[in-house]
Amino acid sequence: MLARKCSSLFTARQKLLKGNEILWSRTMSAGPLLHEPERPVVMTDIPGPQSQKLFKELNNIQQAGSVQLFVDYEKSTGNYVSDVDGNILLDVYMQISSMPLGYNHQAMLDVLADPVNQKIIANRPALGVFPGGNWPKKLKDVLLKKGVAPPGLSNITTMMCGSCSNENAFKAIFFWYAEKKRQGAPFTKEEMDSCMINNNPGSPNYSIMSFKGAFHGRTLGSLSTTHSKYIHKIDVPAFDWPIAPFPKYKYPLDENVRENQQEDQKCLAEIEDLIVQYERKNSPVAGIIIEPIQAEGGDNHASPEFFQKLQAIAKKHGSALLIDEVQTGGGPTGKMWCHEHFNLESPPEVVSFSKKMQMGGYYHIPEMKAKQPYRIFNTWMGDPSKLILLESVLEVIQQDNLLDRVARVGDYTLKQLMTMQRELPHAINSARGRGTFIAFDCATPQLRDSTVKKLLSKGIQSGGCGEKAIRLRPALTFTEYHANIFLDTLRSVLKN
């Protein structure tokens, strides 16, 4: 009865908040945003009967084993996702870190209702050949705007998703590296002929260094740099590219400063040794790809000093530094780009993005721009409709000071988790994060899996990563009010 009443109140509230008259609350922690329910509402087991029925239908068509539940996107709102069985869940996972403002934000709906934008969406162009007349201005005004583009990077190549962004960034790095070796000379006939049969010198044996625990995508080149779960890689041929150690820190950080500094030094020494080894085996490291926080691999962090010294090693050996900000870009760490926390001496050569940025692509230094047409190319080269959505997202981020909110709410949430791990050391440990990009470890993988399931049964949609971590990936609109619902539920689950 109570669940039915809450659901009715939620529906009534939605009907009251229409069109441009919807006011998105800027209340910091006093209560839910004006368009949201007060709390999660659980009416069935999750997944419920309707989700289970739909799963069977989908699984008859394709492999659907990854599906957790089916969503009612029309009823989902703000920080809450509704499923097809009528359950209303506080979503602290947000479609794997890809929903910047939560569900059905009015600013995003409004731009889709604009007749001009509708024609852009309906006539989706092959951007590499037939872009619209406003495309250069849109790129400058949205993606290359100060405060949006990574500091110091003035060039961009748009793509569809994170994997294809990294794939094409690898190609750009190889072109850049070969150009340096060629010293500006034109392609030779031998190079042009040999590349057609996958032989040197036209198909050189260059490599991309990656890190243990990394995740950079599931396409072929990106998969050779992904090392988080075997299920991604098994049965797929891979390049012989170097795999370096990523620091494994002891927590709490303030109690293990010396040990973690030694871990940095050990990893950096192995990185440089690998670069030298691959140079000797005629497979020079053209580029190094790294996540500012290893996400799928377990929310593994490294210090600003580690990244500063990694950049110095890359420069010493003539390798490009590619920072993969697919999960971390767009504000979840309290800055637009996570690597801004590291105070690097100079911009990285390449920064890839997707998820919260709505579209994919990579920022890069001018030297990374291909000298010939069609070298970095596909039919769509991105999607103007996603740039329309991103423009509205960025306006809301600025108007509502959402990066400041993320930093504040993230600091609050992390401190509460640290208090909880002192209360329940047998259950959780190693709370860590930047902004609301937060994770903590459970004592065992089994406890992690059961905790995620119990949270879901109580109306909290969260996610796991690595061996035993639970990760938070909330929207930028997440407040202390939402954090307290999550924290109270987590404490209840861990105590029972």
Side-chain angles (χ1 to χ4, degrees):
M1 182 67 122
L2 178 60
R4 199 176 298 122
K5 184 177 180 182
C6 288
S7 184
S8 298
L9 287 170
F10 177 35
T11 303
R13 176 178 288 168
Q14 280 189 312
K15 289 180 179 177
L16 286 170
L17 303 170
K18 323 187 221 183
N20 292 330
E21 296 176 356
I22 294 183
L23 298 174
W24 285 75
S25 169
R26 298 183 189 182
T27 305
M28 295 304 178
S29 59
L33 303 182
L34 289 180
H35 58 295
E36 293 179 339
E38 292 185 2
R39 298 189 65 80
V41 177
V42 178
M43 303 178 70
T44 71
D45 291 338
I46 303 173
Q50 187 62 20
S51 271
Q52 294 180 42
K53 178 185 175 184
L54 289 167
F55 172 81
K56 290 178 182 177
E57 290 182 23
L58 182 60
N59 203 47
N60 285 333
I61 302 168
Q62 59 183 228
Q63 170 53 256
S66 60
V67 173
Q68 297 180 24
L69 51 82
F70 284 80
V71 175
D72 186 333
Y73 285 103
E74 188 176 349
K75 291 181 180 176
S76 299
T77 184
N79 287 276
Y80 289 84
V81 60
S82 296
D83 73 6
V84 292
D85 289 283
N87 300 299
I88 302 170
L89 314 174
L90 176 64
D91 193 349
V92 299
Y93 191 48
M94 281 290 159
Q95 310 284 325
I96 322 177
S97 195
S98 63
M99 300 283 287
L101 304 180
Y103 296 94
N104 289 315
H105 195 289
Q106 194 61 41
M108 298 177 78
L109 298 178
D110 285 346
V111 297
L112 294 175
D114 185 327
V116 173
N117 290 337
Q118 288 173 1
K119 290 178 181 177
I120 292 172
I121 295 167
N123 298 290
R124 182 179 180 181
L127 286 170
V129 185
F130 305 110
N134 68 341
W135 187 239
K137 186 176 189 304
K138 276 290 184 185
L139 290 178
K140 291 177 184 176
D141 292 349
V142 181
L143 284 167
L144 293 173
K145 183 179 178 182
K146 184 178 180 182
V148 177
L153 295 181
S154 57
N155 290 75
I156 191 166
T157 299
T158 53
M159 286 288 158
M160 291 300 302
C161 66
S163 292
C164 63
S165 299
N166 285 330
E167 288 281 341
N168 284 282
F170 293 166
K171 288 172 62 179
I173 288 170
F174 292 142
F175 299 161
W176 165 82
Y177 193 80
E179 181 78 11
K180 290 195 299 178
K181 295 285 186 184
R182 200 178 282 117
Q183 297 183 325
F187 304 137
T188 65
K189 186 176 187 304
E190 184 184 11
E191 287 173 330
M192 291 186 283
D193 290 344
S194 61
C195 77
M196 299 305 292
I197 53 173
N198 302 338
N199 285 340
N200 272 314
S203 294
N205 195 30
Y206 300 152
S207 61
I208 298 288
M209 174 178 279
S210 55
F211 291 81
K212 295 174 183 177
F215 182 90
H216 299 294
R218 295 177 174 86
T219 48
L220 201 60
S222 295
L223 204 55
S224 286
T225 62
T226 288
H227 316 289
S228 52
K229 293 178 182 176
Y230 81 88
I231 198 65
H232 303 319
K233 296 174 66 73
I234 195 165
D235 295 334
V236 180
F239 295 111
D240 177 18
W241 290 352
I243 307 167
F246 192 90
K248 293 182 178 179
Y249 288 164
K250 292 182 179 180
Y251 290 85
L253 294 176
D254 58 358
E255 296 177 12
N256 296 281
V257 173
R258 182 179 176 185
E259 292 90 340
N260 292 336
Q261 287 176 342
Q262 290 174 344
E263 176 70 3
D264 277 356
Q265 292 166 7
K266 178 173 75 73
C267 290
L268 289 162
E270 289 187 43
I271 288 164
E272 187 150 26
D273 185 57
L274 275 171
I275 293 174
V276 172
Q277 285 182 39
Y278 271 74
E279 181 73 41
R280 286 174 180 161
K281 64 190 284 189
N282 295 317
S283 183
V285 176
I288 301 171
I289 184 169
I290 190 167
E291 299 156 274
I293 301 172
Q294 283 192 335
E296 299 295 327
D299 268 37
N300 306 314
H301 288 249
S303 66
E305 292 76 19
F306 173 84
F307 280 94
Q308 291 162 13
K309 290 174 182 176
L310 177 66
Q311 184 181 51
I313 290 171
K315 288 184 179 299
K316 175 181 174 182
H317 293 276
S319 306
L321 180 61
L322 163 52
I323 298 187
D324 178 349
E325 294 253 23
V326 168
Q327 273 212 32
T328 50
T333 68
K335 292 183 182 291
M336 198 66 192
W337 304 99
C338 185
H339 74 269
E340 293 183 77
H341 291 282
F342 301 153
N343 298 314
L344 298 177
E345 183 180 357
S346 59
E349 280 74 20
V350 189
V351 175
S352 58
F353 63 88
S354 189
K355 290 192 181 284
K356 278 187 172 65
M357 296 294 284
Q358 304 300 291
M359 64 193 302
Y362 57 94
Y363 292 93
H364 55 92
I365 59 174
E367 293 83 356
M368 286 286 170
K369 187 174 73 171
K371 300 293 191 296
Q372 300 85 11
Y374 293 103
R375 299 201 82 190
I376 303 288
F377 183 83
N378 56 57
T379 297
W380 280 327
M381 295 291 292
D383 186 343
S385 69
K386 299 302 186 287
L387 194 62
I388 290 167
L389 289 171
L390 177 60
E391 187 172 21
S392 68
V393 168
L394 295 172
E395 288 173 358
V396 173
I397 289 174
Q398 183 176 14
Q399 291 166 8
D400 290 0
N401 297 315
L402 291 186
L403 296 187
D404 290 343
R405 179 188 297 186
V406 166
R408 189 193 71 246
V409 176
D411 182 63
Y412 171 79
T413 305
L414 188 56
K415 285 179 179 176
Q416 297 303 310
L417 284 169
M418 289 178 172
T419 298
M420 195 182 303
Q421 72 185 13
R422 287 192 292 270
E423 294 172 6
L424 304 166
H426 63 284
I428 62 170
N429 59 77
S430 305
R432 55 201 181 274
R434 291 187 182 275
T436 54
F437 203 97
I438 291 172
F440 56 92
D441 286 350
C442 292
T444 65
Q446 294 76 20
L447 180 60
R448 187 273 305 278
D449 294 345
S450 67
T451 300
V452 169
K453 288 179 181 177
K454 289 177 181 178
L455 285 170
L456 185 60
S457 72
K458 293 181 178 294
I460 307 292
Q461 175 68 50
S462 62
C465 62
E467 183 185 4
K468 54 187 177 181
I470 292 177
R471 54 176 160 172
L472 307 188
R473 301 289 190 267
L476 307 180
T477 55
F478 191 74
T479 70
E480 291 91 342
Y481 179 86
H482 303 108
N484 283 331
I485 293 173
F486 165 74
L487 292 163
D488 290 346
T489 308
L490 177 64
R491 182 178 280 106
S492 172
V493 163
L494 293 174
K495 285 186 172 181
N496 293 327

